Amino acid sequence: MRILKLIGTFVKVNLQMALAYRADTAVQILVNLMWLGWELLGLSIIFSNTTTLSGWDFGELIALLGVFRLVNTLMFALVWPNTEKFNQSIRDGSMDYTILQPVSSLFLVTFSRITVWRIWDLVLAITLIVVGINMTGDITTPLNILTFILLAISGAMIIYSLWIVLIALTFWFTKFDNNVTILQALLDAGRYPATVYPVWLRIIVTFVIPIAVATTVPLQALRGDLGPSQIFLFFIVSIISFLIASRVWKLGLKRYSGASS
């Protein structure tokens, strides 16, 4: 309950900040809609020359774009703004105030900044998933929907854990400012099914930097392509990823010397 109250407070504060710049927020939403238009246009051009892409039809690619946007919402609403703040706090020593708070420092670093208007992205993403699945004409069972939600959360947890490890490296390498740039660059690979890529790149986006686990895999579950053992495996991997990330974070905190050093 205490955590929920804190999240509510962060949302309220960040909402007030967003409302202070209403014009900027409106422009950001319009730009976001423009990018969505370009993405849909790109898919339309691709499917004007073919009916499937590595076994995926147009509707399934629309749904995949929706899942990709779910992950992107996590990146732009939490990861990017908090990465910038965290890197600065390590350099100027203001991380001291975060560590001294009677709340998990990892929680504060994750939620202190929230780009509230990105909730619009969440609505668009869900709409794309629903429209895409309806376009395919496939029958989606309640079990498939539950599995999709479970694996979408698991995929987001894996990406989040990877982010924690990357920013924790700043405790060892203070000027490691571009610590999540590679994550964002590879995230674009999630726009398309992992099966369209060469084997070597497929291995990278599935096991090394598991973008596909956060995008392709949940949609495969919605299609009913995954067996119980595969679903269980991906779920366990997400839990192990978070435990490892938490451990790396704690080791990093021990390395932090503070503003007084």
Side-chain angles (χ1 to χ4, degrees):
M1 185 62 68
R2 183 185 181 188
I3 295 298
L4 293 178
K5 287 182 178 179
L6 284 173
I7 293 177
T9 300
F10 285 139
V11 170
K12 182 179 179 180
V13 170
N14 283 276
L15 179 59
Q16 291 173 340
M17 293 173 60
L19 292 176
Y21 302 94
R22 294 180 181 86
D24 181 65
T25 299
V27 169
Q28 293 286 357
I29 292 175
L30 289 174
V31 170
N32 193 265
L33 287 172
M34 182 191 71
W35 277 112
L36 175 60
W38 279 112
E39 289 167 342
L40 293 175
L41 178 61
L43 288 178
S44 298
I45 292 173
I46 291 173
F47 281 93
S48 66
N49 297 287
T50 184
T51 56
T52 61
L53 185 65
S54 288
W56 293 60
D57 62 27
F58 184 58
E60 289 170 329
L61 264 293
I62 294 292
L64 181 62
L65 178 60
V67 179
F68 168 77
R69 280 184 158 266
L70 280 178
V71 178
N72 237 15
T73 299
L74 170 68
M75 292 291 293
F76 284 100
L78 293 175
V79 170
W80 280 116
N82 285 298
T83 297
E84 180 182 355
K85 181 181 179 182
F86 173 76
N87 288 339
Q88 182 62 35
S89 70
I90 293 296
R91 290 193 297 270
D92 61 21
S94 59
M95 184 66 183
D96 291 3
Y97 301 107
T98 300
I99 295 175
L100 292 174
Q101 298 300 317
V103 184
S104 166
S105 59
L106 182 56
F107 170 81
L108 293 176
V109 166
T110 302
F111 292 103
S112 60
R113 284 189 181 178
I114 304 173
T115 308
V116 181
W117 69 265
R118 287 284 176 180
I119 190 68
W120 174 249
D121 279 355
L122 189 62
V123 174
L124 284 178
I126 294 173
T127 301
L128 287 171
I129 294 171
V130 173
V131 170
I133 292 300
N134 286 335
M135 288 176 64
T136 63
D138 294 337
I139 298 176
T140 304
T141 65
L143 180 59
N144 287 348
I145 294 174
L146 288 175
T147 305
F148 166 78
I149 295 173
L150 174 65
L151 290 184
I153 294 173
S154 298
M157 187 180 297
I158 291 173
I159 299 299
Y160 171 74
S161 300
L162 181 58
W163 171 60
I164 292 302
V165 171
L166 289 173
I167 66 170
L169 292 176
T170 310
F171 288 120
W172 285 271
F173 310 101
T174 308
K175 296 186 180 298
F176 191 40
D177 292 342
N178 297 321
N179 41 10
V180 295
T181 301
I182 188 173
L183 179 59
Q184 180 58 38
L186 285 175
L187 183 61
D188 286 338
R191 296 176 186 271
Y192 302 102
T195 51
V196 307
Y197 301 113
V199 175
W200 64 271
L201 184 55
R202 198 182 310 167
I203 292 174
I204 291 177
V205 299
T206 303
F207 300 105
V208 181
I209 301 182
I211 305 301
V213 176
T215 55
T216 303
V217 169
L219 198 57
Q220 286 178 318
L222 194 60
R223 295 169 60 186
D225 293 344
L226 301 180
S229 60
Q230 293 171 301
I231 295 170
F232 180 74
L233 174 63
F234 286 121
F235 179 69
I236 292 299
V237 167
S238 68
I239 294 176
I240 294 175
S241 298
F242 180 73
L243 292 176
I244 292 174
S246 299
R247 180 58 180 166
V248 172
W249 176 261
K250 291 177 181 179
L251 291 174
L253 285 177
K254 293 180 180 179
R255 292 275 304 182
Y256 179 67
S257 55
S260 60
S261 61

